[in-house]
Amino acid sequence: MIIVIALVLLVLGTVLFHIFSPWTFTPLASNWVAIDSTINVTIWITGIVFILVNLFMAYAIYRFRYRKDRRAEYEPENKKLEVWLTGITAVGIVALLTPGLIAWADFVEAPEEADTFEVVGKQWHWMYRFPGEDGELGQTHPRFVSKDNPFGMDPDDPAGQDDILVFSNILHLPVDQSFKVLMRSMDVLHNFAVPEFRAKMDMVPGMVTHMWFEPTRTGNFEVVCMQLCGMGHHAMRGRVVVQEQEAFDQWLAGQPTFAETQAADHRGDPERGEQLYATCAGCHGNEGEGNADMNAPKVSGLDHEYLVRQLRYYKEGIRGDHEDDTYGQQMAGMMGVLDDQEAIVDVVAYMNTLPDSSAPTTIEGDPERGKSYYESCKHCHGAQAEGNYFTKAPRLAGQHDWYLVRQIENFREGVRGSHDSDQYGPQMKLFAQRVQSERAVRDLVAYINSLEPDTDSE
Amino acid sequence: MTHVAIADQEEETHHHPTSFVAKYVWSQDHKVIAVQYSIIAIFVGVVALILSGFMRLQLGFPDTFSCINPNTYLQFMTMHGMIMVIYLLTALLLGGFGNYLIPLMVGTRDMVFPYLNMLSVWFYFVSVLVLLASFFVSGGPTGAGWTLYPPQTILPGTPGNEWGIILMIASLAIFIVAFTMGGLNYVTTILQARTHGMTLMRMPLTLWGIFIASMMGLLAFPALLVSAIMMALDLLAGTSFFMPTLVSLGDSVDHEGGSPLLFQHLFWFFGHPEVYIVALPAFGMVSDVLATHARKNIFGYRMMVWALVIIGALSFAVWAHHMFVSGMNLIFGFFFATTTLIIAVPTAIKVYNWVLTLWQGNIKLTPPMLFAIGFVFTFTHGGLSGLFLGNVIVDVPLADTYFVVAHFHMVMGVSTVMVLFAAIYHWYPLVTGRMLHEGMARLHFWMTFLGAYAVFLPMHYLGFLGVPRRYFAMGDTAFMPESAHTLNASISIFALVLMLIQTVFIFNLIWSLKRGPKAGHNPWGATSLEWQTPQVPPGHGNWGDKLPVVHRWAYDFSVPNAKEDCIPQNVPKGADETHHDGSGEHSEGKTV
Amino acid sequence: MNIFQKLTEKPWEPSSDAMAAAVATGPTSQIDARKLMLNIFLAIVSVLFLLIFATFITHSQYPGFESLAGEPWKPFADTTNLWLNTLWLTLSSVAMHTGLVKARRGISGHALIAMVLAIFFAVQFVLAQLWLWRDLSGMGYTLPSNPANSYFYLMTGVHALHLIGGLVVVLRSTFLLWRGGALERIQNSLKLCATYWHYLLGLWLVLFFLLTRSPETYRAIAIACGLG
């Protein structure tokens, strides 16, 4: 008889769990009320069926439990009952399907007044593109993808010149404006999903998929990738900032057009950079080789985009803001030297001209053990730790090992990469949490020390 | 039709094997082959179970165990899924139970093609070896997810993209060959070797389930084979069936013009019927267990058969409900949502009829019956959560979240495994001649039933929240409250307990071989033919000198005025039983 | 009794003629079982090829798909080679049928000759197909160079594999014929071989048709099948 009590309790428990569960749908932040209401209808109908069927079964087991002196009924079938049950089920199904399909008809076709933007997914981050003044997105093709053209824009397509490119996984959108989202993938399947928006869609290489929604409240929403895309799938995150129209316009105006990114001055002026670098040389060395005594890492041999991003972070208080980040704070304090974005780009242009040399080894560890940890790092940072512009991962080989140790620890403890506006920091945080012990960090760095990439290729 | 009984004809050539090797290794006896299938399947299933244990450790307690990293997590996940769906469930239900029960239930001496049957099990064995070998090659097994979606399956950035995936494809191809050889046997045997008097509608539902599932398997596996061949060509010969032009981790890849969606269509054309290939035999077996232990005929037998046939046919027209947010033309959503929800009707009818079988029964709560009840409960839950995912618009927020994981584990994992356990407790006495230890069986049931529900019920709610599946770690996710991480940890603890308790079951299987109480002839009082063999367990050739003749359907339990409360199928109609006319009018009003 | 009647039978009701039911059912001969198995197997192979066709037609509508026929400079604008290969397979099929007829009449000697001819023509066909592959690769239409080519090699390759697999069985039957086993058994075995062979011939004709169409025809087929 325990089974009868168990069944009743399980049904009751399930209902109570459902009612009191703190884990349920996130508050809706888009126009898709229809999705939520269809879910509610579904929960009611399925819930009632679940309760009825199982309580009936429990009752049947209780009432017709085995007794030696009794015999079961002989009843091969009961046409009337079966027809009724089929009919009621069919009605239930129609009740589920009707609101579902009506909402789907809405989902299929974006409204006329919807604006357009594009999401680009690649292993393992997001980029976004808005049509420029012409209101039209330019042609793209994977064969155009290069370090200077990560979006794969067709350089000869006039429609693409004024496209606004967002080199960040943080997207801003204005509230109460519907958007048709065009979705493209560079490499494998991805899925752009914001739980609060309800809408999601896969991105498939070789084709452009789409969906539409309208953000209905301002706020910060996390973007997650919902289609397995390889080793870094769980770290492929982003953020959508829904804000008022003016704030959005201001943000959009700050993003470069494709034509601007192709212009020569986008890469900076090394001669002006050389003058600016004079201040930096005190700590980072004349050749950017770094200095252990000053706690200054090597800045030569690093990727342009990476350096620009880090300097901007220091400037904007995204890095070096954490109270435990003593050296980061020092660096942030020095940023007064670089007035604006242009100065940052120039000084980086100069740093890129500096000769690359490997820093001396100071850390002892077991590279064999470190290799197993590095398995998770190699896809982004490269098998030889040479860095990869495509995955936004800086070169690690040749960097001061004490610096690497400190940064891994900083990421792990949330000292670095925790700021809301840090694009790839959270990703590194997820991976740095893999190396918990001090010994593990030393082993890992010892392995990175042992790597010797071809210095010419970045 | 020529009526030279196969079995009688075979008698001359089918000599009794004597040596150990001929008897237990290169055996052509369906019963030995069934046991071989079962042992391999259970072994590889335990491997998959342990893999899921590692995954739960990482999910519940992130970054505590250094043996699990993002690569191995994906590899474990892939192998867990693939093994469970194909190498355990398909093989155990059809290769194991199908092989054992078909010839006995239809009343013949063996499968129609015993040699092919032997080849089948050995091909299966090789496919398992090849699959397990991928743990030992450089790069390890593939980590592409059991769906093996290109392009990532064969690109760097996914673990096992070199050797792992090749071995996976090879193993699947070998498995398909094995399954085809077995499936041809099951279908032909059921169609051609039924003994005298065994009309189609006199077959127990177990046979119907196995028959429809085998038929579906034969027609669905080619889709997997085609996609496997094409993917192998993409990988090894550089063709572009599924591979478009793309940039992989900064490197241009030399492919052009392929379509990843094509693979998904092919895969799910196989993958969805596969769900029912696993479910239908389970439906059939649980029907027989319920009827036998409730001492009552299965309610609505004809409806049950038609439902099986309809589900089988419809399941070939619903595949793209796995692809609602895959980027395929959104218009297809209307069609596939409709067909998917239509399939809910025959499925619901089956549930009603199981429950109505209990009504007015005389229910013995034996271990198989407990598991059967557990099945109805969990299947109801899993089936109903399927209505969320089948309804295209509701699928949009839930696709690729833990809701999906919870749904298919509830419906394919928990409920199907419940039937497997019910079936093992039910038929173990027939196979070995001994009962399983009842105390251990009950402990096993309670821990499994409650444990599984505690694992998978909360998981639905993580899905509501929007927690994505196939994530190695959640880290700080804005929409996940701290309590969700605690929930994850508790799920992991329940899962580990659930896993540990299975050792009791394995121990019981081995312990009872020697020490279980002797079962004797037909211990449950069942009516179907497999319990009516002259020897228990059935000897070589099953039936002694003469094949049985069937006189009635498989559910003559508690026939009014009959002396016993069950009349086996091979008992001639006696004068003492009043023939029940069974029409609806007679029993109307008594039910519900 | 048709299948519908069979499936609506109420099995719990006392059958009016229980003896009739017992006689009407019951195991059939191994020969019938083999025949049934072959038919199911052919259904499986048909599904396999139908799926390949479906993906082929779908693929033909993607940009960059360059069909092998339709323009004068395309390799299959001239189908002489393909017709020649068709001839080999047809001859093989005819020879096998002749072998079957002779075996049924009990003329084992003639049957044996016909079967050997059938095998010879079948091998010719496979070799000619290989020759075709070599020709095409030589002209630059290699396996990976375009999806259309990939499908050509895939389909003809899978077809040839089925033929080679069948050859093993045919060789076995021919061996039995040569050794002079029980005639009835050989006849049945030949019957199954012949069925399989005719099926493969038919399949080849479908492949032939499908591979030599112009882009416009593919477009039409795609639209007709709802794949466009």
Side-chain angles (χ1 to χ4, degrees), chain C residues 18-83:
Chain C
M19 276 321 288
V23 175
T25 54
T28 57
S29 70
Q30 187 81 6
I31 292 159
D32 285 336
R34 278 176 204 271
K35 213 161 102 188
L36 178 70
M37 187 182 83
L38 178 68
N39 287 339
I40 298 174
F41 184 72
L42 293 185
I44 298 171
V45 178
S46 307
V47 172
L48 186 83
F49 274 93
L50 275 178
L51 288 166
I52 299 180
F53 295 161
T55 59
F56 173 67
I57 295 295
T58 313
H59 219 135
S60 72
Q61 299 310 304
Y62 296 151
F65 184 93
E66 288 179 27
S67 59
L68 289 167
E71 304 285 351
W73 62 85
K74 295 283 177 74
F76 287 159
D78 174 18
T79 51
T80 324
N81 274 334
L82 293 176
W83 280 114

Side-chain angles (χ1 to χ4, degrees), chain B residues 1-6 9-10 112-113 116 180 184 187-188 191-202 208 218-219 222-223 225-226 229-230 233 237-241 256-259 262 266 269 301-302 306 553 573 579-582, chain C residues 1 3 5-15 18 21-34 36-38 40-41 43-45 47-49 51-52 54-56 58-59 62-64 143-145 147 150-151 154 158 226:
Chain B
M1 247 197 284
T2 23
H3 286 293
V4 190
I6 299 169
Q9 185 192 40
E10 287 289 299
V112 177
F113 310 108
L116 209 57
T180 307
L184 282 171
V187 172
T188 320
L191 286 179
Q192 302 277 0
R194 296 194 313 280
T195 189
H196 289 281
M198 181 67 98
T199 61
L200 281 177
M201 295 304 272
R202 278 180 177 173
W208 269 107
L218 290 175
L219 298 180
L225 187 62
V226 171
I229 293 172
M230 288 184 177
L233 286 174
T239 55
S240 303
F241 290 109
E256 197 173 355
S259 163
L262 215 52
L266 276 176
F269 185 81
Y301 173 83
R302 295 195 302 163
W306 300 337
W553 71 328
K573 299 264 181 190
H579 293 307
H580 192 92
D581 69 349
Chain C
M1 268 214 294
I3 189 73
Q5 279 168 321
K6 275 186 191 164
L7 290 181
T8 48
E9 174 194 326
K10 291 182 177 173
W12 55 87
E13 292 189 336
S15 184
V23 175
T25 54
T28 57
S29 70
Q30 187 81 6
I31 292 159
D32 285 336
R34 278 176 204 271
L36 178 70
M37 187 182 83
L38 178 68
I40 298 174
F41 184 72
I44 298 171
V45 178
V47 172
L48 186 83
F49 274 93
L51 288 166
I52 299 180
T55 59
F56 173 67
T58 313
H59 219 135
Y62 296 151
L143 173 64
S145 61
S150 310
Y151 274 101
L154 175 72
V158 174

Side-chain angles (χ1 to χ4, degrees), chain A residues 110-127:
Chain A
E112 289 274 310
E113 67 275 14
D115 283 352
T116 306
F117 73 88
E118 182 193 59
V119 183
V120 181
K122 52 191 216 167
Q123 286 173 327
W124 286 278
H125 53 263
W126 312 95
M127 300 191 300

Side-chain angles (χ1 to χ4, degrees), chain B residues 2 4 9, chain C residues 29-36 38 96 99-105 115 169-170 172-174 176-177 181-196:
Chain B
T2 23
V4 190
Q9 185 192 40
Chain C
S29 70
Q30 187 81 6
I31 292 159
D32 285 336
R34 278 176 204 271
K35 213 161 102 188
L36 178 70
L38 178 68
M96 196 160 313
L100 175 63
V101 172
K102 295 288 179 195
R104 276 191 178 151
R105 288 191 194 143
M115 288 309 289
V169 183
V170 172
R172 192 169 149 267
S173 306
T174 313
L176 285 179
L177 189 67
L183 204 58
E184 196 196 5
R185 196 170 154 205
I186 293 167
Q187 280 170 9
N188 284 306
S189 167
L190 288 185
K191 171 86 185 97
L192 298 183
C193 289
T195 310
Y196 188 60

Side-chain angles (χ1 to χ4, degrees), chain A residues 14 74 76 200 222 225 231 237, chain B residues 157 300 363 399 453 471 474 478 556:
Chain A
T14 307
Y74 189 79
K200 68 155 84 81
E222 180 148 357
C225 177
M231 191 276 308
R237 314 285 181 99
Chain B
I363 301 164
Y453 201 61
Y471 265 36
M474 288 313 302
D556 263 346

